[in-house]
Amino acid sequence: MEGTEEGTEEGKAGLLSGLLSQAGLKRDEADLPSPVQTAWPTSSFTIMDQYSGMRSPGSADSACLLRRSSSGNHRTLELRSQPQSAVKVSRMMLLLLLVSGGVIVASTYLIDKAIKQTLEWRRPSNPCWCEFLHGSPCPWGIRYGLYVVSGSLMVGLATLVVEWAPSAAGSGIPPMISVFEGVYLHDLVTWRTGAVKAIGLILSIGGGLSIGKEGPFVQLACVVCSLLMQFNKCFKDNLFNDGIVRIQVLSAAAAAGVACTFGAPLAGILFSIEVHHAQYDTSTLLYAFFVSMVTSAILWLSSQPNSLALFRVSTEPFQVTALDLGTFVLAGAVSGMLGACFVRLTFIIARWKIAVITSRPRRLGFSVLVCCLSLCAWFPLGAQFHGTQRSILESLFSPTASPPTYQLVLFPLLKFVATALALNTCLPGGCFAPSFAIGASIGSVLGKLIANSLGASAQDLALVCAAAYSGAVTRTLSPTLLVLELTNRSGDLSIGTGLAVMTAYAVASRIAPSIYRSHELLSIPHMPEMPPNPNLHAADVMSIDVQCVSLTNSRTQVALALGTGTQLWFPCVDQTGHLLGEFFHSDLTDFTLSCSTEEHGHDLGGWVSQQEGSLDRTLCHTHLQLSPNAPAVLVHRVFKMLGPGAVYVTDAGLLKGAIFKQALVTHGYKATLTD
């Protein structure tokens, strides 16, 4: 099937080039609107119009057709609705997510089990293979060396594995944010990326790197849904080939991936919404809630309800006082400042790494060196810091297994640096669980100092600081709900945790961005940030070099417009320059190739009027127009919230220029200011 589609596209390109040659023109292949190559690992991307859809056959619930009136003197707009198609698509989505939920739970459970087994095998206090080789219990030095060497070898192997699919590197959340913004990265959700992501995650965490699982689990969940959408022809035709529905399915899958990471479905849904979406379509919430509940139900029915939980502790409730609330706010401010410093340190290391670590041997050496240094620091701290992130968190939250003070002081310092380094190794891994552990250790230190004067215990303060610190790093409020779900305390602890997380969020937002907003550092195609100058207007950021078409254009004229630019959307204007609508690039390509030589004189308007039975070959009237005096901030919000492929700048209906999402993604607002 893929070969047939590629052959069809090549045939169209050849026919279009021949048509341009007949007109005495040459098509420059460098100007073709093909997927744009970026510095991000060998992946191409497609700019999606989330406002008007991909306009593939049957993809929308309604479509606009331009028809001739009975008199033939003018054209009118007709709206054709397809409510039955919408119901059918909704049922297919629920069925797909039901199956996907089971596969996601099974995949994440097996990965989590493999990580635990790997860490247990490498645990210094139980190296059975070492005793077999030595013939007696291993001396401390041999256990130390084997612990470091085995972890470094696993991390080195993980680095080599990731080279096979570079799109599997890193967290996975920043590129998924781009997908939800309408920049579809093709290599992000393939089977190869999913397999490498899973293997790399097991080797990285099993090797001892200070990383979490939320980013990889999100990407793996999206890979599962993407593959299932393409596995069945009915799913592929109705779900995968519809860009808007595909994004809805992937958004629900992302929520399921986070829910499996936390073992808390409600916190997972909220975290996914906060991280992935600048503007959330509430119609997707039903599907996200559905698949998250499916994953939770499967875990409960399998007698493993807490197997994937981030932690599970039981603490005693307390009587909240004004002093407690003030302490929680102060703890939130401290956690917010430290979380923002962590993000800044991570980005500083990333800039240095991009400038220095430029080859495969250097990437391999850097990953192994980071792992070696981390393990050398962890080993002397004690056995309770050699296990999984869950075991470390539960030891920090447990009143009966509180580590000594010197370990609590050293642990957050070492974890702070080790996590910042590990996140820059480009190995699969997230930051939430390590951040939660850093915050918990900070809270434990504060609790030992001031808990005797509070109603809250040291463990309560550790929980509050863990939520506040992780909220500051990820710029989310969902850690509040996470703590409530995993502790079953919705009364006393909810107030203090909420205040601390809000304070940390506010403090961190003034110092550093979210750690997931690393698109520019990683050269990931994305929608740029808001223009820094508040006095800019739409006329200042628009492009005036816009290829337009008219309903009276012949196919040669349309082919000329297609062959001399890189536009994906083409405004349609009348003889006076007033905007009528827009065409997608593929629609105009079909027009230029559909007419035979004898029909060379047929114009574009006549071709459109003959396409009543095909909803995708239409003049789209759902375009967006802004005044030249509209603030550039409004332009930014329109692209972020509505996701159109293009916004047209008009004055009393007269086209003045256009702002294309493709240009913003590839060049940002700076390029448009120079036009």
Side-chain angles (χ1 to χ4, degrees):
M1 181 65 70
E2 293 181 359
T4 303
E5 292 177 355
E6 292 177 0
T8 302
E9 294 300 323
E10 292 177 359
K12 286 184 177 181
L15 290 173
L16 186 56
S17 299
L19 183 61
L20 290 172
S21 299
Q22 294 178 10
L25 300 170
K26 182 180 179 181
R27 190 181 194 189
D28 187 357
E29 295 296 329
D31 291 335
L32 296 181
S34 57
V36 182
Q37 299 296 326
T38 68
W40 197 63
T42 64
S43 295
S44 59
F45 62 87
T46 298
I47 303 298
M48 298 178 61
D49 188 344
Q50 297 167 287
Y51 180 71
S52 58
M54 296 292 285
R55 292 198 292 279
S56 58
S59 65
D61 297 338
S62 61
C64 297
L65 291 179
L66 193 67
R67 304 185 61 196
R68 289 189 183 276
S69 64
S70 57
S71 62
N73 295 326
H74 63 279
R75 296 178 175 88
T76 58
L77 185 67
E78 177 184 1
L79 190 65
R80 292 189 174 185
S81 298
Q82 295 177 306
Q84 293 182 354
S85 177
V87 173
K88 178 183 177 182
V89 168
S90 180
R91 290 174 179 173
M92 286 186 177
M93 288 178 66
L94 292 176
L95 177 60
L96 174 70
L97 292 173
L98 178 63
V99 178
S100 300
V103 179
I104 291 170
V105 169
S107 303
T108 53
Y109 177 79
L110 291 175
I111 292 172
D112 191 69
K113 193 73 173 177
I115 292 173
K116 291 178 181 178
Q117 290 295 329
T118 305
L119 290 172
E120 176 65 24
W121 172 73
R122 292 186 54 254
R123 189 161 55 92
S125 60
N126 187 29
C128 57
W129 43 271
C130 178
E131 295 180 3
F132 173 77
L133 292 176
H134 195 267
S136 61
C138 285
W140 184 86
I142 293 179
R143 287 189 286 116
Y144 194 168
L146 290 174
Y147 178 70
V148 174
V149 171
S150 62
S152 300
L153 289 176
M154 293 180 66
V155 169
L157 180 59
T159 305
L160 296 177
V161 170
V162 170
E163 294 288 339
W164 190 47
S167 298
S171 167
I173 288 182
M176 288 307 304
I177 293 174
S178 294
V179 171
F180 296 133
E181 289 179 345
V183 185
Y184 190 79
L185 305 167
H186 297 293
D187 292 346
L188 193 63
V189 288
T190 62
W191 70 268
R192 174 182 292 186
T193 300
V196 171
K197 196 83 173 182
I199 297 173
L201 181 64
I202 294 171
L203 294 174
S204 299
I205 300 182
L209 283 182
S210 179
I211 51 179
K213 299 177 292 187
E214 82 282 355
F217 275 12
V218 165
Q219 190 172 352
L220 286 170
C222 292
V223 168
V224 168
C225 277
S226 179
L227 294 179
L228 288 177
M229 276 191 288
Q230 300 175 73
F231 180 76
N232 182 277
K233 184 179 184 302
C234 187
F235 284 156
K236 185 173 183 179
D237 293 341
N238 293 277
L239 302 181
F240 186 80
N241 289 340
D242 183 337
I244 305 305
V245 176
R246 189 196 317 170
I247 293 299
Q248 287 183 316
V249 173
L250 294 180
S251 177
V258 180
C260 288
T261 306
F262 295 160
L266 298 182
I269 295 171
L270 181 57
F271 183 86
S272 178
I273 293 174
E274 288 183 290
V275 168
H276 292 122
H277 301 275
Q279 180 74 10
Y280 190 71
D281 183 1
T282 54
S283 63
T284 309
L285 185 60
L286 169 65
Y287 305 110
F289 196 88
F290 173 78
V291 70
S292 297
M293 292 300 108
V294 167
T295 57
S296 299
I298 293 174
L299 287 173
W300 278 98
L301 293 176
S302 63
S303 301
Q304 300 286 341
N306 299 324
S307 60
L308 295 177
L310 186 62
F311 65 90
R312 281 290 181 185
V313 294
S314 298
T315 55
E316 296 295 328
F318 63 94
Q319 184 66 36
V320 181
T321 64
L323 180 60
D324 291 324
L325 296 181
T327 304
F328 290 152
V329 171
L330 178 61
V334 173
S335 300
M337 288 188 290
L338 293 176
C341 292
F342 171 79
V343 175
R344 282 192 171 274
L345 175 62
T346 304
F347 285 178
I348 289 173
I349 296 174
R351 294 187 183 94
W352 170 84
K353 177 178 173 292
I354 291 172
V356 177
I357 311 298
T358 56
S359 63
R360 179 180 298 180
R362 289 188 177 185
R363 287 194 294 270
L364 177 61
F366 179 75
S367 300
V368 173
L369 178 62
V370 169
C371 181
C372 183
L373 294 176
S374 300
L375 295 179
C376 288
W378 297 142
F379 189 86
L381 286 180
Q384 59 185 335
F385 296 110
H386 299 159
T388 63
Q389 297 285 359
R390 175 171 176 168
S391 65
I392 294 174
L393 286 172
E394 290 179 349
S395 68
L396 293 172
F397 295 144
S398 174
T400 61
S402 180
T405 303
Y406 81 92
Q407 290 184 351
L408 288 178
V409 174
L410 287 176
F411 177 76
L413 296 176
L414 297 175
K415 193 78 169 175
F416 190 93
V417 178
T419 304
L421 289 170
L423 292 176
N424 283 289
T425 58
C426 288
L427 292 174
C431 67
F432 191 89
S435 299
F436 215 80
I438 295 172
S441 59
I442 294 172
S444 297
V445 173
L446 293 177
K448 282 185 174 293
L449 297 176
I450 60 175
N452 293 332
S453 59
L454 301 176
S457 64
Q459 286 69 37
D460 293 327
L461 199 56
L463 285 168
V464 169
C465 286
Y469 183 88
S470 56
V473 171
T474 61
R475 199 64 55 79
T476 58
L477 301 175
S478 50
T480 304
L481 186 56
L482 174 65
V483 169
L484 301 185
E485 279 195 88
L486 296 183
T487 59
N488 298 321
R489 289 173 61 184
S490 58
D492 52 353
L493 201 59
S494 63
I495 302 173
T497 306
L499 287 174
V501 172
M502 285 192 297
T503 304
Y505 186 104
V507 171
S509 63
R510 304 298 297 269
I511 304 175
S514 168
I515 197 167
Y516 296 130
R517 295 293 174 177
S518 56
H519 297 75
E520 292 186 3
L521 282 175
L522 303 178
S523 299
I524 300 174
H526 69 290
M527 283 297 297
E529 296 301 322
M530 188 180 299
N533 188 351
N535 297 321
L536 292 177
H537 298 88
D540 299 320
V541 298
M542 72 179 184
S543 174
I544 58 176
D545 185 18
V546 181
Q547 293 291 332
C548 302
V549 295
S550 173
L551 294 175
T552 59
N553 285 159
S554 65
R555 68 170 187 156
T556 302
Q557 292 173 315
V558 172
L560 176 61
L562 293 174
T564 56
T566 60
Q567 289 178 209
L568 296 177
W569 288 266
F570 290 82
C572 181
V573 297
D574 61 14
Q575 299 299 325
T576 60
H578 286 78
L579 183 64
L580 299 177
E582 67 178 358
F583 284 99
F584 191 59
H585 181 275
S586 61
D587 299 332
L588 295 181
T589 303
D590 289 343
F591 163 67
T592 60
L593 303 178
S594 63
C595 302
S596 63
T597 306
E598 292 77 10
E599 296 173 330
H600 187 273
H602 283 190
D603 60 12
L604 179 60
W607 177 79
V608 169
S609 65
Q610 299 173 3
Q611 305 302 317
E612 297 181 13
S614 182
L615 299 179
D616 61 321
R617 297 168 180 172
T618 63
L619 172 63
C620 182
H621 282 247
T622 57
H623 57 272
L624 291 172
Q625 301 182 41
L626 290 176
S627 167
N629 296 323
V633 173
L634 178 60
V635 175
H636 178 79
R637 289 177 179 173
V638 166
F639 276 106
K640 279 283 189 179
M641 297 173 66
L642 300 179
V647 172
Y648 300 103
V649 181
T650 60
D651 187 5
L654 189 65
L655 181 65
K656 296 294 185 179
I659 307 169
F660 296 105
K661 179 188 286 188
Q662 181 186 16
L664 294 181
V665 169
T666 53
H667 304 296
Y669 286 99
K670 295 180 181 180
T672 58
L673 292 174
T674 62
D675 286 345

